[in-house]
Amino acid sequence: LPPDQLIEKGLFAIWRHPIYLFSVVFILGLALVLRSPGYLFVVYPVFIAATYIYTRIEERSLINRFGRKYQLYRMRVPLVIPRFIEVLRVIARPYFRRRFGIQIINAENIPASPPYFVVSSHRNYLDPFLISFALPHMIRHICTYEMFRKRSTALLLRWIGAIPKKRFKPDLKSTKQIMDALNKGFAVGVFPEGERSWTGAMQS
């Protein structure tokens, strides 16, 4: 029987329908192993089309079943091609957990699904990464506008979903981006001090 709740962790945090993607890749591998032109150019395209149609039908069913929650999930999680930041999270999470001994206390207080805010002190430049690797959902961190001055750095930060924010003054553009991220079902990371904590900076 299907689960009563929408699952958004594990592979489902990266792809909406991983089993269908793996099925398509498996059939392609089978066609290459068999070296059958008919299998590769007839059966395989038909299988892709049938999988796509079935996926769309299932998407409608999931929207009817879970409503707004699934619509937010669909906006946040791609159908086939995963976001760069999610691939990075999967690859780097085991290393960060071993290297820095990340421990999650009171994990039951983490919301089952976004949107929500993650409010934290900022003691180290690695804080956004440590927080992102500790929580199950992608977090779009608010970052100081100065970090976006260099084009290469700005491209990387936007690629991983960071939101620029001007310090010590109202920033309507940033506010709109934060609201857009929340409306699309993302978690948003906030460092209220707008810079590294003084005591943490002395220790870092």
Side-chain angles (χ1 to χ4, degrees):
L1 295 177
D4 296 330
Q5 297 182 349
L6 179 64
I7 299 176
E8 304 179 50
K9 300 179 181 179
L11 287 177
F12 293 99
I14 303 174
W15 296 296
R16 296 206 302 272
H17 301 282
I19 189 172
Y20 300 142
L21 175 62
F22 294 152
S23 298
V24 169
V25 174
F26 173 77
I27 296 299
L28 173 61
L30 188 61
L32 295 176
V33 169
L34 296 175
R35 298 182 180 179
S36 170
Y39 204 107
L40 182 61
F41 296 108
V42 178
V43 176
Y44 184 58
V46 171
F47 181 79
I48 291 178
T51 302
Y52 177 80
I53 293 172
Y54 182 80
T55 301
R56 289 304 180 187
I57 294 174
E58 187 177 48
E59 290 260 298
R60 294 178 183 177
S61 174
L62 291 169
I63 291 175
N64 292 332
R65 184 178 176 191
F66 294 107
R68 176 65 175 168
K69 189 173 183 179
Y70 188 80
Q71 290 178 336
L72 291 175
Y73 172 71
R74 190 170 65 166
M75 287 190 290
R76 187 176 69 254
V77 179
L79 180 63
V80 177
I81 306 299
R83 291 184 173 88
F84 169 76
I85 183 59
E86 291 294 356
V87 176
L88 181 63
R89 272 161 48 89
V90 171
I91 295 174
R93 180 182 292 170
Y95 168 79
F96 269 80
R97 287 198 172 186
R98 287 196 303 268
R99 175 66 177 81
F100 297 100
I102 298 176
Q103 296 182 356
I104 303 174
I105 302 173
N106 298 326
E108 66 276 5
N109 294 325
I110 301 174
S113 61
Y116 56 82
F117 282 102
V118 180
V119 182
S120 172
S121 59
H122 192 8
R123 298 188 175 185
N124 191 289
Y125 286 120
L126 291 176
D127 286 338
F129 299 98
L130 297 174
I131 294 171
S132 295
F133 297 143
L135 298 180
H137 309 113
M138 177 180 172
I139 304 172
R140 297 195 59 184
H141 288 278
I142 300 174
C143 184
T144 58
Y145 189 80
E146 289 80 359
M147 297 290 292
F148 287 77
R149 288 178 176 175
K150 291 185 178 180
R151 189 170 183 178
S152 57
T153 305
L155 180 62
L156 176 62
L157 291 173
R158 293 185 188 282
W159 201 11
I160 64 177
I163 300 174
K165 171 73 173 68
K166 295 178 181 178
R167 292 189 291 181
F168 314 121
K169 62 174 64 175
D171 190 342
L172 182 59
K173 184 177 180 180
S174 174
T175 302
K176 290 181 178 179
Q177 292 186 48
I178 294 170
M179 293 300 300
D180 182 65
L182 293 171
N183 289 332
K184 289 182 178 179
F186 286 98
V188 175
V190 182
F191 299 115
E193 293 171 290
E195 57 186 355
R196 288 196 298 161
S197 304
W198 185 81
T199 55
M202 294 295 291
Q203 298 171 5
S204 301

